[in-house]
Coordinates of all heavy atoms in Angstrom, one line a residue:
M1 N -28.5 2.7 16.0 CA -27.9 3.9 16.5 C -26.9 4.3 15.4 O -26.2 3.4 14.8 CB -27.1 3.7 17.8 CG -26.4 5.0 18.2 SD -26.4 5.1 20.0 CE -25.7 6.6 20.2
T2 N -26.8 5.6 15.0 CA -25.9 6.0 14.0 C -24.6 6.6 14.5 O -24.7 6.9 15.7 CB -26.5 7.1 13.1 OG1 -27.0 8.1 13.9 CG2 -27.8 6.6 12.4
E3 N -23.6 6.7 13.7 CA -22.3 7.2 14.2 C -21.8 8.3 13.2 O -21.7 7.9 12.0 CB -21.4 6.1 14.4 CG -19.9 6.4 14.8 CD -19.1 5.2 14.9 OE1 -19.4 4.1 14.4 OE2 -17.9 5.4 15.5
A4 N -21.2 9.3 13.7 CA -20.6 10.3 12.9 C -19.2 10.0 12.7 O -18.5 9.7 13.8 CB -20.8 11.7 13.3
V5 N -18.6 9.9 11.5 CA -17.2 9.5 11.3 C -16.6 10.2 10.2 O -17.3 11.0 9.4 CB -17.0 8.0 11.1 CG1 -17.6 7.1 12.2 CG2 -17.8 7.6 9.7
T6 N -15.3 10.2 10.0 CA -14.6 10.7 8.9 C -14.0 9.5 8.1 O -13.3 8.7 8.7 CB -13.4 11.7 9.3 OG1 -14.0 12.8 9.9 CG2 -12.7 12.1 8.0
L7 N -14.4 9.3 6.8 CA -14.0 8.2 6.0 C -13.0 8.7 5.0 O -13.1 9.8 4.5 CB -15.2 7.5 5.4 CG -16.1 6.9 6.3 CD1 -17.4 6.3 5.4 CD2 -15.6 5.8 7.1
K8 N -12.2 7.8 4.6 CA -11.3 8.1 3.5 C -11.5 7.1 2.3 O -11.8 6.0 2.5 CB -9.7 7.9 3.9 CG -9.2 8.7 4.9 CD -7.8 8.4 5.4 CE -7.4 9.4 6.5 NZ -5.9 9.2 6.9
Y9 N -11.6 7.7 1.1 CA -11.9 7.0 -0.1 C -10.7 7.1 -1.0 O -10.1 8.3 -1.2 CB -13.0 7.6 -0.8 CG -14.4 7.4 -0.1 CD1 -14.6 8.1 1.1 CD2 -15.4 6.6 -0.7 CE1 -15.9 7.9 1.7 CE2 -16.5 6.3 -0.1 CZ -16.9 7.1 1.1 OH -18.1 6.8 1.7
L10 N -10.4 6.1 -1.8 CA -9.4 6.1 -2.8 C -10.0 6.3 -4.2 O -10.7 5.5 -4.6 CB -8.6 4.7 -2.8 CG -7.4 4.7 -3.7 CD1 -6.3 5.7 -3.5 CD2 -6.9 3.3 -3.8
Y11 N -9.6 7.4 -4.7 CA -10.2 7.8 -6.0 C -9.1 7.7 -7.1 O -7.9 7.9 -6.8 CB -10.6 9.3 -6.0 CG -12.1 9.4 -5.5 CD1 -12.2 9.6 -4.2 CD2 -13.2 9.4 -6.3 CE1 -13.5 9.8 -3.7 CE2 -14.5 9.6 -5.8 CZ -14.6 9.8 -4.5 OH -15.9 10.0 -3.9
N12 N -9.4 7.4 -8.3 CA -8.6 7.3 -9.4 C -9.0 8.4 -10.4 O -10.0 8.3 -11.1 CB -8.6 5.9 -10.1 CG -7.6 5.8 -11.3 OD1 -7.1 6.8 -11.8 ND2 -7.3 4.6 -11.7
F13 N -8.2 9.5 -10.5 CA -8.6 10.6 -11.4 C -7.7 10.6 -12.5 O -6.4 11.0 -12.4 CB -8.4 12.0 -10.6 CG -9.4 12.2 -9.5 CD1 -9.0 12.2 -8.2 CD2 -10.8 12.3 -9.7 CE1 -9.9 12.4 -7.2 CE2 -11.7 12.5 -8.7 CZ -11.1 12.6 -7.4
D14 N -8.1 10.0 -13.6 CA -7.2 9.9 -14.9 C -5.8 9.3 -14.5 O -4.9 9.8 -15.0 CB -7.1 11.3 -15.5 CG -8.4 11.8 -16.0 OD1 -9.2 11.1 -16.4 OD2 -8.6 13.0 -15.9
G15 N -5.8 8.1 -13.8 CA -4.6 7.5 -13.5 C -3.8 7.9 -12.2 O -2.9 7.3 -11.9
E16 N -4.3 9.0 -11.8 CA -3.7 9.7 -10.5 C -4.6 9.2 -9.3 O -5.8 9.5 -9.4 CB -3.6 11.2 -10.6 CG -2.7 11.7 -11.8 CD -1.2 11.4 -11.5 OE1 -0.8 11.6 -10.3 OE2 -0.5 11.2 -12.4
H17 N -3.9 8.5 -8.4 CA -4.8 8.1 -7.2 C -4.6 9.2 -6.1 O -3.6 9.8 -6.0 CB -4.1 6.8 -6.7 CG -4.4 5.7 -7.5 ND1 -3.6 5.3 -8.6 CD2 -5.5 4.9 -7.6 CE1 -4.1 4.2 -9.2 NE2 -5.3 3.9 -8.7
E18 N -5.8 9.4 -5.5 CA -5.9 10.4 -4.5 C -6.8 10.0 -3.4 O -7.9 9.3 -3.7 CB -6.5 11.7 -5.1 CG -6.6 12.9 -4.1 CD -7.1 14.1 -4.9 OE1 -6.9 14.3 -6.0 OE2 -7.7 15.0 -4.1
I19 N -6.4 10.2 -2.2 CA -7.3 9.9 -1.0 C -8.1 11.0 -0.6 O -7.5 12.2 -0.4 CB -6.4 9.3 0.1 CG1 -5.7 8.0 -0.2 CG2 -7.4 9.2 1.4 CD1 -4.9 7.6 0.9
V20 N -9.4 10.9 -0.7 CA -10.4 12.0 -0.3 C -11.0 11.7 1.0 O -11.5 10.6 1.2 CB -11.4 12.2 -1.4 CG1 -12.4 13.3 -1.1 CG2 -10.7 12.6 -2.8
E21 N -11.0 12.6 2.0 CA -11.7 12.5 3.2 C -13.1 13.0 3.1 O -13.3 14.0 2.5 CB -11.0 13.1 4.4 CG -9.7 12.4 4.8 CD -9.2 13.0 6.1 OE1 -9.6 14.0 6.6 OE2 -8.2 12.3 6.6
K22 N -14.1 12.3 3.7 CA -15.5 12.8 3.7 C -16.1 12.6 5.0 O -15.7 11.6 5.7 CB -16.4 11.9 2.7 CG -16.0 11.9 1.3 CD -16.9 11.1 0.4 CE -16.6 11.0 -1.0 NZ -17.5 10.2 -1.6
Q23 N -16.8 13.6 5.6 CA -17.5 13.3 6.7 C -18.7 12.5 6.4 O -19.3 12.5 5.4 CB -18.0 14.8 7.4 CG -19.1 15.6 6.6 CD -19.7 16.6 7.5 OE1 -19.8 16.5 8.5 NE2 -19.9 17.7 6.8
A24 N -19.1 11.6 7.4 CA -20.1 10.6 7.1 C -20.9 10.3 8.3 O -20.4 10.5 9.4 CB -19.4 9.3 6.5
L25 N -22.1 9.8 8.0 CA -22.9 9.3 9.1 C -23.2 7.8 8.7 O -23.8 7.5 7.7 CB -24.3 10.1 9.1 CG -25.2 9.9 10.3 CD1 -24.6 10.2 11.6 CD2 -26.5 10.6 10.1
V26 N -22.8 6.8 9.6 CA -23.1 5.5 9.4 C -24.6 5.3 9.7 O -24.9 5.4 10.9 CB -22.2 4.6 10.2 CG1 -22.5 3.1 10.0 CG2 -20.7 4.9 9.9
I27 N -25.4 4.8 8.7 CA -26.7 4.6 9.0 C -27.1 3.1 9.1 O -28.2 2.7 9.5 CB -27.6 5.3 8.0 CG1 -27.3 4.9 6.5 CG2 -27.4 6.8 8.2 CD1 -28.2 5.5 5.5
A28 N -26.3 2.2 8.6 CA -26.4 0.8 8.7 C -25.1 0.1 8.4 O -24.1 0.9 8.0 CB -27.4 0.3 7.5
P29 N -24.8 -1.1 8.6 CA -23.6 -1.8 8.4 C -23.1 -1.4 6.9 O -23.9 -1.8 5.9 CB -23.8 -3.2 8.6 CG -24.9 -3.2 9.6 CD -25.8 -2.1 9.2
N30 N -22.0 -0.9 6.8 CA -21.4 -0.5 5.5 C -22.3 0.4 4.6 O -22.0 0.6 3.5 CB -21.2 -1.8 4.6 CG -20.3 -2.9 5.3 OD1 -19.3 -2.5 6.0 ND2 -20.6 -4.1 5.2
T31 N -23.1 1.2 5.3 CA -23.9 2.1 4.5 C -23.9 3.5 5.2 O -24.0 3.5 6.4 CB -25.5 1.7 4.5 OG1 -25.5 0.3 3.8 CG2 -26.2 2.6 3.6
V32 N -23.5 4.5 4.5 CA -23.2 5.8 5.0 C -23.9 6.9 4.2 O -24.2 6.7 3.0 CB -21.7 6.1 5.2 CG1 -21.0 5.2 6.1 CG2 -21.1 6.1 3.7
V33 N -24.1 8.0 4.8 CA -24.4 9.2 4.2 C -23.3 10.1 4.2 O -22.7 10.3 5.4 CB -25.7 9.9 4.9 CG1 -26.0 11.3 4.2 CG2 -26.9 9.1 4.9
T34 N -22.8 10.6 3.1 CA -21.6 11.4 3.2 C -21.8 12.8 2.6 O -22.8 13.0 1.9 CB -20.5 10.9 2.3 OG1 -20.9 10.8 0.9 CG2 -20.1 9.4 2.7
A35 N -21.0 13.7 3.0 CA -21.1 15.2 2.6 C -19.7 15.6 2.1 O -18.8 15.5 2.9 CB -21.6 16.1 3.7
N36 N -19.6 15.9 0.8 CA -18.3 16.3 0.3 C -18.5 17.2 -0.8 O -19.2 16.9 -1.7 CB -17.5 15.2 -0.1 CG -16.1 15.5 -0.4 OD1 -15.4 16.1 0.2 ND2 -15.7 15.0 -1.7
G37 N -17.8 18.4 -0.8 CA -18.0 19.3 -1.9 C -19.3 19.8 -2.1 O -20.0 20.4 -1.1
E38 N -19.9 19.5 -3.2 CA -21.4 19.9 -3.5 C -22.3 18.8 -3.5 O -23.4 18.9 -4.1 CB -21.5 20.6 -4.9 CG -20.7 21.9 -4.9 CD -20.8 22.6 -6.3 OE1 -21.0 21.9 -7.3 OE2 -20.6 23.8 -6.4
C39 N -21.9 17.7 -2.8 CA -22.7 16.4 -3.0 C -22.9 15.8 -1.6 O -22.1 15.7 -0.8 CB -21.9 15.5 -3.9 SG -22.9 14.1 -4.5
L40 N -24.2 15.5 -1.4 CA -24.7 14.7 -0.3 C -25.1 13.3 -0.9 O -25.8 13.2 -1.9 CB -25.9 15.4 0.3 CG -26.5 14.6 1.5 CD1 -25.6 14.7 2.8 CD2 -27.9 15.2 1.8
S41 N -24.5 12.2 -0.4 CA -24.6 10.9 -1.1 C -25.0 9.8 0.0 O -24.6 9.9 1.1 CB -23.3 10.5 -1.7 OG -22.8 11.5 -2.7
I42 N -25.6 8.9 -0.5 CA -25.9 7.6 0.2 C -24.9 6.5 -0.5 O -25.1 6.4 -1.7 CB -27.3 7.2 0.2 CG1 -28.2 8.2 0.9 CG2 -27.4 5.8 1.0 CD1 -29.6 7.9 0.9
E43 N -24.1 6.0 0.3 CA -23.1 5.0 -0.3 C -23.0 3.7 0.5 O -23.2 3.8 1.7 CB -21.7 5.7 -0.3 CG -21.6 6.9 -1.1 CD -20.3 7.7 -1.1 OE1 -19.7 7.6 0.0 OE2 -20.1 8.4 -1.9
V44 N -22.8 2.7 -0.2 CA -22.5 1.3 0.4 C -21.0 1.0 0.2 O -20.5 0.9 -1.0 CB -23.4 0.2 -0.2 CG1 -23.1 -1.1 0.4 CG2 -24.9 0.5 0.1
I45 N -20.2 0.9 1.3 CA -18.9 0.6 1.3 C -18.8 -0.9 1.0 O -19.1 -1.7 1.9 CB -18.1 1.0 2.5 CG1 -18.4 2.5 2.8 CG2 -16.7 0.7 2.4 CD1 -18.0 3.4 1.8
E46 N -18.2 -1.4 -0.1 CA -18.1 -2.8 -0.4 C -16.7 -3.4 0.0 O -16.5 -4.5 0.3 CB -18.4 -3.1 -1.8 CG -19.7 -2.7 -2.1 CD -20.1 -3.0 -3.6 OE1 -19.1 -3.2 -4.4 OE2 -21.2 -2.9 -4.0
K47 N -15.6 -2.6 0.0 CA -14.3 -3.2 0.3 C -13.5 -1.9 0.8 O -13.5 -0.8 0.4 CB -13.7 -3.7 -0.9 CG -12.3 -4.3 -0.7 CD -11.8 -4.9 -2.0 CE -10.5 -5.6 -1.8 NZ -9.9 -6.1 -3.0
T48 N -12.7 -2.2 1.9 CA -11.6 -1.3 2.4 C -10.3 -2.0 2.4 O -10.3 -3.3 2.4 CB -11.9 -0.8 3.8 OG1 -12.1 -2.0 4.7 CG2 -13.3 0.0 3.8
D49 N -9.2 -1.2 2.4 CA -7.9 -1.8 2.4 C -7.5 -2.0 3.8 O -8.3 -1.8 4.8 CB -7.0 -1.1 1.6 CG -6.6 0.4 2.2 OD1 -6.9 0.7 3.4 OD2 -6.0 1.2 1.5
E50 N -6.3 -2.5 4.1 CA -5.8 -2.7 5.4 C -5.7 -1.5 6.3 O -5.6 -1.5 7.5 CB -4.4 -3.4 5.4 CG -3.3 -2.7 4.8 CD -3.2 -2.7 3.2 OE1 -4.0 -3.4 2.6 OE2 -2.4 -2.0 2.6
N51 N -5.7 -0.3 5.6 CA -5.8 1.0 6.4 C -7.1 1.5 6.6 O -7.3 2.7 7.1 CB -4.8 2.0 5.7 CG -3.4 1.5 5.6 OD1 -2.8 1.0 6.6 ND2 -2.8 1.5 4.5
G52 N -8.1 0.8 6.2 CA -9.5 1.3 6.5 C -10.0 2.3 5.3 O -11.1 3.0 5.4
I53 N -9.2 2.4 4.2 CA -9.5 3.3 3.1 C -10.4 2.6 2.3 O -10.2 1.6 1.8 CB -8.3 3.8 2.4 CG1 -7.4 4.6 3.4 CG2 -8.7 4.6 1.2 CD1 -6.1 4.9 2.8
A54 N -11.6 3.3 1.9 CA -12.6 2.6 1.1 C -12.1 2.6 -0.4 O -11.6 3.6 -0.9 CB -13.9 3.5 1.0
T55 N -12.0 1.3 -0.9 CA -11.5 1.1 -2.2 C -12.6 0.8 -3.3 O -12.5 1.0 -4.5 CB -10.4 0.1 -2.3 OG1 -10.9 -1.1 -1.7 CG2 -9.2 0.6 -1.4
V56 N -13.7 0.2 -2.8 CA -14.8 -0.1 -3.6 C -16.1 0.2 -2.9 O -16.2 -0.1 -1.8 CB -14.8 -1.6 -4.0 CG1 -16.0 -2.0 -4.8 CG2 -13.4 -2.2 -4.6
W57 N -16.9 1.0 -3.6 CA -18.2 1.4 -3.1 C -19.2 1.7 -4.1 O -18.8 1.9 -5.3 CB -18.0 2.6 -2.2 CG -17.6 3.9 -2.9 CD1 -18.4 4.9 -3.4 CD2 -16.2 4.3 -3.2 NE1 -17.6 5.8 -4.0 CE2 -16.4 5.5 -3.9 CE3 -15.0 3.8 -3.0 CZ2 -15.2 6.2 -4.4 CZ3 -13.9 4.5 -3.4 CH2 -14.0 5.7 -4.2
Q58 N -20.3 1.7 -3.8 CA -21.5 2.0 -4.7 C -22.3 3.2 -4.1 O -22.6 3.2 -3.0 CB -22.4 0.8 -4.8 CG -21.8 -0.4 -5.4 CD -21.6 -0.2 -6.9 OE1 -22.3 0.4 -7.6 NE2 -20.4 -0.8 -7.3
T59 N -22.5 4.2 -5.1 CA -23.2 5.4 -4.7 C -24.7 4.9 -5.0 O -25.0 4.6 -6.1 CB -22.8 6.6 -5.4 OG1 -21.4 6.8 -5.1 CG2 -23.6 7.8 -5.1
I60 N -25.6 5.0 -4.0 CA -26.9 4.8 -4.2 C -27.7 6.0 -4.6 O -28.6 5.8 -5.4 CB -27.5 4.2 -2.8 CG1 -26.8 3.0 -2.3 CG2 -29.0 3.8 -3.1 CD1 -26.6 1.8 -3.3
A61 N -27.4 7.1 -4.1 CA -28.1 8.3 -4.4 C -27.2 9.5 -4.2 O -26.3 9.5 -3.3 CB -29.3 8.5 -3.6
N62 N -27.2 10.5 -5.1 CA -26.5 11.8 -4.9 C -27.5 12.9 -5.0 O -28.4 12.9 -5.7 CB -25.5 12.0 -6.2 CG -24.3 11.4 -6.0 OD1 -23.7 11.2 -4.9 ND2 -23.6 10.9 -7.1
V63 N -27.3 13.9 -4.2 CA -28.1 15.1 -4.3 C -27.0 16.3 -4.3 O -26.0 16.4 -3.5 CB -28.9 15.3 -3.0 CG1 -29.6 16.6 -2.9 CG2 -29.8 14.2 -2.7
I64 N -27.1 17.0 -5.4 CA -26.2 18.1 -5.7 C -26.8 19.4 -5.0 O -28.0 19.7 -5.3 CB -26.0 18.3 -7.1 CG1 -25.5 17.1 -7.8 CG2 -25.0 19.4 -7.4 CD1 -24.3 16.5 -7.3
L65 N -26.1 20.0 -4.2 CA -26.5 21.1 -3.4 C -25.3 22.2 -3.5 O -24.2 21.8 -3.7 CB -26.7 20.7 -1.9 CG -27.9 19.8 -1.6 CD1 -27.7 19.3 -0.2 CD2 -29.2 20.5 -2.0
P66 N -25.6 23.5 -3.2 CA -24.5 24.4 -3.2 C -23.6 24.0 -2.0 O -24.0 23.5 -1.0 CB -25.2 25.8 -2.8 CG -26.6 25.6 -3.3 CD -27.0 24.0 -3.2
E67 N -22.3 24.2 -2.3 CA -21.3 23.8 -1.3 C -21.5 24.4 0.1 O -21.2 23.8 1.1 CB -19.9 24.2 -1.8 CG -18.7 23.4 -1.1 CD -17.4 23.6 -1.7 OE1 -17.3 23.9 -2.9 OE2 -16.5 23.2 -1.0
E68 N -21.9 25.7 0.2 CA -22.2 26.3 1.4 C -23.3 25.6 2.3 O -23.2 25.6 3.5 CB -22.5 27.8 1.3 CG -23.8 28.1 0.6 CD -23.5 28.3 -1.0 OE1 -22.4 28.0 -1.4 OE2 -24.4 28.9 -1.7
I69 N -24.2 24.8 1.6 CA -25.1 24.1 2.3 C -24.5 22.7 2.9 O -24.6 22.4 3.9 CB -26.4 23.7 1.5 CG1 -27.2 25.0 1.2 CG2 -27.2 22.6 2.2 CD1 -28.3 24.8 0.4
V70 N -23.7 22.1 2.0 CA -23.1 20.9 2.2 C -22.1 21.1 3.4 O -22.0 20.2 4.4 CB -22.4 20.2 1.1 CG1 -21.6 18.9 1.5 CG2 -23.4 19.9 0.0
T71 N -21.3 22.1 3.5 CA -20.4 22.4 4.6 C -21.1 22.7 5.9 O -20.4 22.5 7.0 CB -19.4 23.6 4.2 OG1 -20.1 24.7 4.0 CG2 -18.5 23.2 3.0
E72 N -22.3 23.1 5.9 CA -23.0 23.3 7.1 C -23.6 22.0 7.8 O -24.1 22.1 8.9 CB -24.2 24.3 6.9 CG -23.8 25.8 6.7 CD -24.9 26.7 6.5 OE1 -26.1 26.3 6.9 OE2 -24.7 27.7 6.0
I73 N -23.7 21.0 7.1 CA -24.2 19.8 7.5 C -23.4 19.2 8.8 O -22.2 19.0 8.5 CB -24.3 18.6 6.5 CG1 -25.3 19.1 5.4 CG2 -24.8 17.3 7.1 CD1 -25.3 18.3 4.1
D74 N -24.0 18.9 9.8 CA -23.2 18.6 11.1 C -23.8 17.2 11.4 O -24.8 17.0 12.1 CB -23.5 19.6 12.2 CG -22.7 19.2 13.5 OD1 -22.1 18.2 13.5 OD2 -22.7 20.0 14.4
F75 N -23.1 16.2 11.1 CA -23.5 14.8 11.4 C -23.4 14.4 12.8 O -24.2 13.6 13.3 CB -22.7 13.8 10.5 CG -22.9 13.8 9.1 CD1 -22.0 13.8 8.2 CD2 -24.3 13.8 8.6 CE1 -22.2 13.6 6.7 CE2 -24.6 13.7 7.3 CZ -23.5 13.7 6.4
E76 N -22.7 15.3 13.6 CA -22.7 15.0 15.1 C -24.0 15.3 15.6 O -24.6 14.7 16.5 CB -21.6 15.8 15.7 CG -20.2 15.3 15.6 CD -20.0 14.0 16.3 OE1 -20.7 13.6 17.3 OE2 -19.2 13.1 15.8
V77 N -24.7 16.4 15.1 CA -26.1 16.7 15.6 C -27.2 15.7 15.0 O -28.0 15.2 15.7 CB -26.5 18.2 15.1 CG1 -27.8 18.5 15.3 CG2 -25.5 19.2 15.8
L78 N -26.9 15.2 13.7 CA -28.0 14.4 13.0 C -27.8 12.9 13.7 O -28.8 12.2 13.4 CB -27.7 14.5 11.7 CG -28.0 15.8 11.0 CD1 -27.7 15.7 9.4 CD2 -29.5 16.2 11.2
K79 N -26.8 12.6 14.2 CA -26.5 11.1 14.6 C -27.6 10.7 15.6 O -27.8 9.5 15.7 CB -25.1 10.9 15.0 CG -24.8 11.4 16.4 CD -23.4 11.1 16.9 CE -23.2 11.6 18.2 NZ -21.8 11.2 18.6
D80 N -28.2 11.6 16.4 CA -29.1 11.1 17.4 C -30.5 11.3 17.1 O -31.4 11.1 17.9 CB -28.8 12.0 18.7 CG -27.4 11.7 19.2 OD1 -26.9 10.5 19.2 OD2 -26.7 12.6 19.7
V81 N -30.8 11.6 15.9 CA -32.3 11.8 15.4 C -32.6 10.5 14.5 O -31.8 9.8 14.0 CB -32.6 13.1 14.7 CG1 -32.2 14.2 15.6 CG2 -31.7 13.1 13.4
S82 N -33.9 10.4 14.3 CA -34.3 9.3 13.4 C -33.9 9.5 12.0 O -33.6 10.7 11.7 CB -35.8 9.1 13.5 OG -36.5 10.2 12.9
M83 N -34.0 8.5 11.2 CA -33.6 8.7 9.6 C -34.6 9.7 9.0 O -34.3 10.6 8.2 CB -33.7 7.3 8.9 CG -32.6 6.4 9.2 SD -31.0 7.0 8.7 CE -30.3 7.5 10.1
A84 N -36.0 9.6 9.4 CA -36.9 10.4 8.8 C -36.6 11.9 9.2 O -36.6 12.8 8.4 CB -38.3 10.0 9.3
E85 N -36.3 12.1 10.5 CA -36.0 13.4 10.9 C -34.7 14.0 10.2 O -34.6 15.1 10.0 CB -35.8 13.5 12.5 CG -35.5 14.8 13.1 CD -36.4 15.9 12.8 OE1 -37.6 15.6 12.4 OE2 -36.1 17.1 13.0
M86 N -33.7 13.1 10.1 CA -32.4 13.6 9.5 C -32.8 14.0 8.1 O -32.3 15.1 7.7 CB -31.4 12.4 9.5 CG -30.1 12.8 8.7 SD -29.1 11.4 8.4 CE -29.9 10.5 7.2
F87 N -33.5 13.3 7.3 CA -33.7 13.6 5.9 C -34.6 14.9 5.9 O -34.6 15.7 5.0 CB -34.3 12.5 5.1 CG -33.2 11.5 4.7 CD1 -33.2 10.3 5.3 CD2 -32.2 11.9 3.8 CE1 -32.2 9.3 5.0 CE2 -31.2 11.0 3.5 CZ -31.2 9.8 4.1
R88 N -35.6 15.1 6.8 CA -36.4 16.2 6.9 C -35.6 17.5 7.1 O -35.7 18.5 6.5 CB -37.5 16.1 8.0 CG -38.5 17.2 8.0 CD -39.2 17.4 9.4 NE -38.3 17.8 10.5 CZ -37.8 19.2 10.5 NH1 -38.0 20.0 9.7 NH2 -37.0 19.3 11.6
R89 N -34.6 17.4 8.0 CA -33.7 18.5 8.3 C -32.9 18.9 7.2 O -32.6 19.9 6.8 CB -32.8 18.2 9.6 CG -33.6 18.3 10.9 CD -32.7 18.0 12.0 NE -33.5 17.9 13.3 CZ -32.9 17.8 14.4 NH1 -31.6 17.9 14.5 NH2 -33.6 17.6 15.5
L90 N -32.3 17.8 6.5 CA -31.5 18.0 5.3 C -32.3 18.8 4.2 O -31.8 19.7 3.5 CB -30.9 16.8 4.8 CG -29.8 16.1 5.7 CD1 -29.4 14.7 5.2 CD2 -28.5 17.0 5.8
A91 N -33.5 18.3 4.0 CA -34.4 18.9 3.0 C -34.7 20.3 3.3 O -34.7 21.2 2.6 CB -35.6 18.1 2.8
S92 N -35.0 20.5 4.6 CA -35.2 21.9 5.1 C -34.0 22.8 4.8 O -34.2 24.0 4.4 CB -35.6 21.8 6.5 OG -35.7 23.2 7.1
M93 N -32.9 22.3 5.1 CA -31.6 23.1 4.9 C -31.6 23.5 3.4 O -31.2 24.6 3.0 CB -30.3 22.4 5.3 CG -30.1 22.3 6.8 SD -28.6 21.3 7.1 CE -27.4 22.3 6.4
S94 N -31.7 22.5 2.5 CA -31.6 22.8 1.1 C -32.6 23.7 0.5 O -32.3 24.5 -0.3 CB -31.6 21.4 0.4 OG -32.8 20.8 0.3
T95 N -33.8 23.7 1.0 CA -34.9 24.5 0.5 C -34.9 25.9 0.9 O -35.3 26.9 0.2 CB -36.3 24.0 0.7 OG1 -36.4 23.8 2.1 CG2 -36.5 22.6 0.0
K96 N -34.3 26.2 2.1 CA -34.2 27.5 2.7 C -33.2 28.3 1.9 O -33.4 29.5 1.7 CB -33.7 27.5 4.1 CG -34.7 27.1 5.1 CD -34.3 27.1 6.5 CE -35.3 26.5 7.4 NZ -34.7 26.5 8.8
K97 N -32.2 27.7 1.3 CA -31.1 28.5 0.7 C -31.1 28.3 -0.8 O -30.3 28.9 -1.6 CB -29.7 28.0 1.2 CG -29.6 28.2 2.7 CD -28.2 27.9 3.2 CE -28.2 28.3 4.7 NZ -26.8 28.3 5.1
A98 N -32.0 27.5 -1.4 CA -32.1 27.3 -2.8 C -32.6 28.5 -3.5 O -33.3 29.3 -3.0 CB -32.9 26.0 -3.1

């Protein structure tokens, strides 16, 4: 079973630390699909701090899409469908507007 969540990531932009929130769908332990800006990503969270902020993660795949498509992704709707159906719907969204 998948779960829709909001995750916080600690980024280092040229020495400046910033916390970025991303909507996410937990698809396996420590593995999420995230949507942020123009990017849909599959990420493995390797380490979080005491506040639950992701400090170390590996991006497995990135798909660059127009931001208007990424902002329409509703993980609350996708959390109850199979992985195959989720990716089919995401692909359908991206090809309709591309």
Side-chain angles (χ1 to χ4, degrees):
M1 178 147 193
T2 57
E3 177 184 10
V5 297
T6 299
L7 297 177
K8 294 180 181 180
Y9 289 73
L10 181 63
Y11 279 87
N12 182 344
F13 296 111
D14 297 324
E16 296 289 324
H17 289 90
E18 182 178 333
I19 294 175
V20 175
E21 287 190 354
K22 299 180 185 181
Q23 67 169 326
L25 186 65
V26 179
I27 58 173
N30 300 322
T31 305
V32 296
V33 177
T34 64
N36 186 53
E38 295 180 337
C39 196
L40 180 70
S41 303
I42 299 173
E43 299 170 337
V44 175
I45 309 296
E46 295 179 352
K47 184 177 179 185
T48 58
D49 69 8
E50 63 277 359
N51 297 312
I53 298 171
T55 57
V56 179
W57 65 92
Q58 294 292 322
T59 301
I60 305 305
N62 276 330
V63 178
I64 306 300
L65 298 167
E67 191 168 349
E68 58 269 13
I69 292 174
V70 175
T71 58
E72 286 183 16
I73 296 170
D74 185 351
F75 287 136
E76 283 295 327
V77 171
L78 295 175
K79 72 179 184 177
D80 295 322
V81 301
S82 70
M83 287 293 108
E85 177 63 13
M86 177 187 71
F87 284 109
R88 187 200 66 74
R89 288 183 188 189
L90 293 171
S92 175
M93 286 176 67
S94 66
T95 56
K96 284 182 187 174
K97 297 187 179 188

